[in-house]
Every structure is written in C-alpha cells, then in structure tokens.
Amino acid sequence: MRTITGLLAATALTSASAAFATDLEVTHWWTSGGEAAAVAEFAKAFSEGTDHTWIDGAIAGSGGTARPIIVSRILGGDPMGATQLNHGRQAEELIEAGLMMDLTEIAEAEGWKDVVNPPSLLDACTLDGKIYCAPINIHSWQWMWLSHKAFADAGVDVPQNWDEFVAAAPALQEAGKIPLAVGGQAWQSNGAFGVMSVAIAGVDAWTDVFVNKNEETVMGPEYTKVFEAAALARELSKDSKVQDWNQATNLVITGQAGAQIMGDWAQGEFAVAEQVAGEDYTCLPGLGVNAVIDTGGDAFYFPVNEDPEITAAQKELASILMSKEAQVAFNLKKGSLPVRGDVDLSAANDCMKKGLQILVDGGTIPSGDMALSRDILDELEDLLTEFWSDHSYAPEDAQKAYAEIISRAE
C-alpha cells in the first residue's frame, strides 16, 4: 500500500507536466488481436488519466523484428517516448551507455519493491542499484494449448500430459489434423524446445544448463530425451505451414490442429475468439509434467529525452503502467499475470488461475532471457531453427552443438 508520503512524492514527480499536453510515442510489437486489445488498455489509461496522448508505435512481426529497430532508433538519436522490451538483459548496453531513464525515484516513491512479485522481475530492471524499467507482466512459455474440437473429431480424449499427446498424435493425423502447430518464426521453435527441456529434462537439469552453464548436463541422458522429443515434435508439426504464432494458435482455435506449445499470451487469442478455458480448450502448464512457470515477461523502458515535457510525460506513464487498475485491465486481456501481488484477479479464467496458483506455490523458474546473454540466446536460436527446419539433422548432432554453445556462455 502506498504511504501518504509516497503519494505526495509521486505527485511531486509528475505535477510539473500537468500544464502541458504531450504526444508520447510508445513502441511495442503487440499486433495480434489479443495483444492489440491488451495494449489498448494501457493507452486508454494513459490518455484518460493524463493530459497527454499515447501515440501507438506498433511494429509488426515479433520481438526479433522489433528489437533491432527499437535499439537502432535509440542509438541513432531518434528515441521514442517509451518502448516495450522483455525482462532480462536486452537493454543492458543501452543503460550502460546512459541512454535509458533512471526510474529509481518513482519506484521508491511508489513502493514498487513492496508490491512486485516475484522480486526477480524488478531485479531484472535494476543495474548498479538503480531501476531502469517498469515491469508490467509475468509471461511464461511453459504452456501447451489443446483443442477440444480436434481431439473430439479424432475420437480420442484430450491429453493431460506430453506422453498422452504423443500417443494421441496418430489418431489426429488419421482425422486429417495437424498434431502440433508451430509457426515458421525461429523464436517459436526455440521456445517450444525450452518448454520441452523444462518438462522432460526437469527443472534441476534445465537450471544446471541455463543458470550454471553446465555443458556436461546438456550431454547427459536428461537432455538426450529432450532432443529426441524435439525431433518427434519436428515431425508432428511439419504440416503447420503458417508463419506467425497467432496463426498457429488459430489452427488450434479452429480445431485444425491438436495442440500448440506457446506462452500464456496465447490466451488473448482464445479470448478474442470467445472460447472458454476448460470447455473449448485445455491448458497444460509444463506440458502436464512439471507444473512450473518461468517468470519472464515484458517491461517498459524510457529512453533519455532532452525535452522536459516529454520527460515529465514519461514519468507519468511509468506510474500508470504500475497502477493496480492498469495492471488488472491489461493482464486480463493479455493472458499474462500482473507483476503486482496486491491486485484483485477474481475475473481471471481457469488457465490464469492455474498460473496464479503455481506462482503462489512458488513453482517458478527464471526466464532464459534473464540467465543468458543475447548473443548466446541468438546462437541457440539459430541452431534450433536449423534443427527444426532440417529433418535430416540428427538429434545427437544438435545436442553436441548445443553443448558447445553453452560451454561459451558467461
């Protein structure tokens, strides 16, 4: 709860902007139906709660497309007012170069450390004791989404774990269904591999690889099973023939595909399609094997700007993004969990409630984005893209290449 002193301090930080109406450009890569509905809640809260105007700078594609554009603009002296990035080390070099606004004063005035849960999300915004971003949600990759229609058409029960899904795959194929929907973008196959790693190798093995950077574990029997499962998933997804992640989600929504391994942002697409969790689709955290979530997600950074009016508007937006009202409105539509641990989520659907319970139970792991540098993550993504697209690429060869990359991680 904010103290009176904190409220007065926060008011002092933003009152200087009250006399000015400022257009603030906000860049992000939320362009699917569910994502657009969610980000519109932030835009509404900012435009209605201040004298300023949110200028939407959506960048079509994905984070892999948007991040280089965002970074290039900041480095090139054409900064936006605010920008989405993921939790982790993506902005580290920009912060070190003095190009990102220090939000410590706002964070302390509003007691962010008291409400952000888990604390690692705010830690990911912190460098040398100063806070440089506003974490806005908890997104987890650790989900599998299954179409009730697809399995009903195939005459089999909806699987409750990865092994049951593999067993049901032949029936799906016989019914003309795609067993596993995976889009053609590299980050999708890479993310699916990460989920299989946690579920099949186990949390301890995954932690030893990503946190401890132990290449010997990659070459161990736990990860051998992961690469064998990935080779099978590669075969089961070969007929997806779509590019974007939300197109793959739509294959599940329409019953053309049995399942998709995708982060909880997929919930936004099910919501837009007016599908009901537990009735039209099933969600399995950790592939129904290890019920954990990784605490990654999105954060907003505010590039340094020499215009004091824009700076004041940036501070107001940072405060609004972390408010209870905006946190609830955004995350209910995004399918993610709020970073505030003190908000009312009684309107959450069954899948979101599963995630909340896992969070309460402490079943969390760090996001890979927080554990490895961007260069190493890019190398792993390139490797897994090649593996996923080249069906002659043997899993044991990919395993060796993966271990070699991990051996160079810092």
Side-chain angles (χ1 to χ4, degrees), residues 87-88 116-126 133-139 295-297 299 337-340 370:
H87 297 312
V116 172
N117 181 44
S120 60
L121 298 175
L122 196 59
D123 292 343
C125 288
T126 304
C133 67
I136 58 169
N137 62 6
I138 303 169
H139 260 320
T295 51
L337 303 178
V339 297
R340 293 188 67 119
M370 298 181 186

Side-chain angles (χ1 to χ4, degrees), residues 189-237:
S189 51
N190 183 53
F193 180 87
V195 176
M196 287 186 281
S197 299
V198 174
I200 296 170
V203 172
D204 290 344
W206 180 90
T207 301
D208 203 29
V209 172
F210 268 73
V211 178
N212 300 332
K213 286 80 171 176
N214 189 342
E215 70 271 20
E216 293 181 4
T217 301
V218 178
M219 294 306 300
E222 296 91 348
Y223 262 76
T224 296
K225 293 178 182 177
V226 174
F227 279 92
E228 290 171 348
L232 175 59
R234 179 175 64 183
E235 292 300 316
L236 296 179
S237 65

Side-chain angles (χ1 to χ4, degrees), residues 35 49 57 117 136 139 159 199 222 228 235 283 296 304 318 333 335 344 361 385-386:
E35 291 172 327
N117 181 44
I136 58 169
H139 260 320
E222 296 91 348
E228 290 171 348
E235 292 300 316
C283 53
V304 170
K333 290 192 175 179
D344 179 11
D361 293 340
T385 299
E386 182 181 359

Side-chain angles (χ1 to χ4, degrees), residues 59-81:
I59 301 172
S62 63
T65 300
R67 277 190 298 269
I69 296 172
I70 291 166
V71 171
S72 177
R73 281 191 53 185
I74 296 170
L75 290 174
D78 181 29
M80 59 294 295

Side-chain angles (χ1 to χ4, degrees), residues 144-159:
M144 187 175 189
W145 310 90
L146 303 106
S147 165
H148 286 199
K149 182 181 186 305
F151 288 97
D153 290 348
V156 292
D157 293 336
V158 177

